[in-house]
Amino acid sequence: HRAEPCTVVIFGATGDLTHRKLIPAFYNIAAEGDLPPQFKVVGFARRDKTDEVFRAELETGNRQNSRQGHNDELWKSFSQSIHYHRSEFEDLEGYKALGRLLDQFDAERGAPANRLFYLAAAPEAFKPILEMIRAAGLNEGKGGKWARVVCEKPFGKDLASAQSLNSVVAATFAEKDTYRIDHYLGKETAQNIMVLRFANSIFEPNWNSRYIDHVQITCAENLGMEGGRGGYYDTAGALRDMVQNHLFQLLTLVAMEPPTDLSADSVRDEKVKVIRALRPLVGPEAVGKNVVRAQYTAGSVNGVARVGYRQEDRVNPESQTEPYVALRLMIDTWRWQGVPFYIRVGKQLPKKATEISVHFKRPPQVPFATAGMLKNSENTLVIRIQPDEGIALRILCKQPGQAMRMQQVKMDFRYSSSFGKASPEAYERLLLDAVAGDATLFARRDEVENAWKFIDEIEKAWHKSDTPPTMHEYPAGSWGPKAADDLLRADGREWRLL
Ligand code: BG6
C-alpha cells in the first residue's frame, strides 16, 4: 500500500501538533526515502494563509523538531508537496472546495490517489468535521482508492462522549478505515514489549502471579502547563490525559495473553481483555483507597522556580483537576491474581522518564540474607520506555571479599549502543502504518470505550460524590505526594527510585 500515491489532509493544520510532530514525521519519512510516491499534504484550517506562508511556518517548526536535522535541499523538494486550504470546520462549501482540490491533484497525477484525513483539530471540532466529510462525499474513496481517518487524542472525555464520537465516526468510515492514534504505541520501546515477552523463552514462563510480586509503571514529566496548555489540560487532568490512553496501553502490553498471530484484531482482542478484567474501582471509598490524586504547589524543578498548578496560565485558581495521579490496579485474570499494578503519572516531577518495572518475588529462603539486606534486593526487570531507551535486569551477586555479602547489580541493554542508528519517532511509524492499512498499533473502538468505563467511575467518585477523596499536594520538583508513597507502603512496598 505504501507504494501507492496518497494525499493527507490535516484538519487543524495551524496547531502545535502539526508543527512539532506531523510535518517533522513526514519530513523524516521523506529523508528515509519511505514517502508514498506523488505524496501531498493539505493543511485545512480557519486562518487565511497562502501555501508559501504555511510552508515557511512549517519550516521553522521542522528546524526545531526534526529528528534527523533539517536539510535545505530536502526541505525544498519536500515542501513543494504541502498545500494550504482555508475553511471553517462547519462550512460545507469549504469541504466541497477541498474535494475539488483533491480532484485537481488526482488529475495532475493522472490517476486517483488514496486519501487520509487526519483530525488534529480541537476535540469539539471532530464531530462537525466528520459530518462535513460525509456530507461532501469525501469519505468514499475515488476510483477504487481508499479513504481513511486518523483521530488524534483525546478520544472523548468520558464513556458517553466517546460513544457518541464513535457513532459519528462509524457513520462516516468503516472501523477498518478508522485509526485512533495513541502515540505511545508507536514508541519502539513499547512495541518491543511483545518481542521481549513472547520471543524470549526465559521471561514468559515467569510472567505471572507465581513469580511476579508486582509491577510499577511510572510516567514522569518535568514540565507544567507551558505554551498555553493549561486551557485544555485543566478540563482533562492526568487520569484522562495520560492514564486512559497511554498508560493503559503500556499496561495491556505488559499484562496481555500471547496473541495467536500479529494481525490487528488478534493483538487488540488480547489487549481489550486486560482492560475488561481491571477490577472496577467504584465509589469514593474504593477510589480513595486505591487512587491518589494531587496538584503541585510552587517549587523548583532542576533549579528553576515553578508556580503551583492553580497559579498556571489558563488554569482555574480553584481547579479540582489533578496533574498527578497514582493508582493501585488489580487485573482479575488467572495470570494476575493478587499481583498489583501500580501506576503513577505526573507533571512537574524531577525529570522526564517513563519506565515499567517488573518486580519478581524473592526466593522462599535466602541463606545469605541478614535482616536489612533484603530491602531492594528483589530481581527487577526495568523497561525504560524513554529516555535512555533500554532494558535492565537487576540481579543479586556476591560482593567480592571474605564475607558472604549480597549486592544488587545491573545487566543493561541500551538502544543507543546496541543499534547503530536512532529509532524512528512514534509518529513516523504510526503515519506509515495508517497509510499501509495496518491498525495493530491503533486503539479499537471497544478498547477505548472499556477504558473510559473504568475511568468514569473514578472521575465520578472525585467530582460527583458527597465525600470526594482528598486532593493531595506536592511541591513542584518533588516525586509526588506522600499519599502516593503510603499507597505502596500499605502493601509493604516502595516506588522504585528513578
Ligand atoms: C500527550 C499528553 O498525549 O502526551 C501530554 O497530552 C503529555 O500531556 C504527552 O505531555 C507526553 O508524551 P511523550 O511522548 O513526551 O511522553
Side-chain angles (χ1 to χ4, degrees), residues 2 22 24 42 67 77 81 90 124 157-158 167 242 284 289 317 330 338 349 352 382 384 390 428:
R2 287 184 189 187
L22 302 181
V42 180
R67 155 175 88 84
S77 66
S81 61
E90 300 81 8
E124 57 276 12
K157 61 177 179 56
D158 52 21
S167 53
M242 297 291 290
K289 220 174 133 207
M330 302 302 285
L349 300 182
K352 180 168 171 78
V382 179
R384 292 190 302 271
E428 295 171 40

Side-chain angles (χ1 to χ4, degrees), residues 153 183-184 187 221 229 241-242 246 347 352 386:
K153 67 166 286 245
H183 78 282
Y184 266 57
K187 294 185 192 278
E221 289 186 279
R229 206 135 192 280
D241 182 53
M242 297 291 290
H246 308 325
K347 304 271 184 199
K352 180 168 171 78
Q386 65 188 23

Side-chain angles (χ1 to χ4, degrees), residues 167-285:
S167 53
V168 180
V169 174
T172 313
F173 292 95
E175 179 66 21
K176 72 170 178 44
D177 293 317
T178 303
Y179 291 74
R180 296 174 195 80
I181 212 160
D182 186 311
H183 78 282
Y184 266 57
L185 287 176
K187 294 185 192 278
E188 277 293 341
T189 42
Q191 294 170 49
N192 190 42
I193 296 172
M194 275 208 277
V195 177
L196 176 77
R197 289 188 51 197
F198 305 134
N200 292 293
S201 59
I202 60 167
F203 297 121
E204 193 51 23
N206 304 331
W207 210 264
N208 56 54
S209 63
R210 245 163 299 151
Y211 299 100
I212 293 179
D213 178 72
H214 73 283
V215 175
Q216 299 184 13
I217 307 179
T218 296
C219 181
E221 289 186 279
N222 51 7
L223 293 175
M225 299 295 120
E226 287 80 355
R229 206 135 192 280
Y232 150 74
Y233 193 87
D234 205 37
T235 67
L239 193 64
R240 289 186 171 123
D241 182 53
M242 297 291 290
V243 177
Q244 184 271 342
N245 39 59
H246 308 325
L247 277 295
F248 272 9
Q249 289 297 343
L250 295 181
L251 176 78
T252 57
L253 290 169
V254 174
M256 71 195 273
E257 296 302 315
T260 43
D261 57 62
L262 274 189
S263 72
D265 276 331
S266 297
V267 173
R268 297 187 297 179
D269 284 345
E270 296 307 332
K271 284 169 54 198
V272 75
K273 284 184 203 164
V274 175
I275 307 274
R276 289 173 48 195
L278 282 173
R279 189 178 301 166
L281 296 173
V282 181
E285 205 190 313

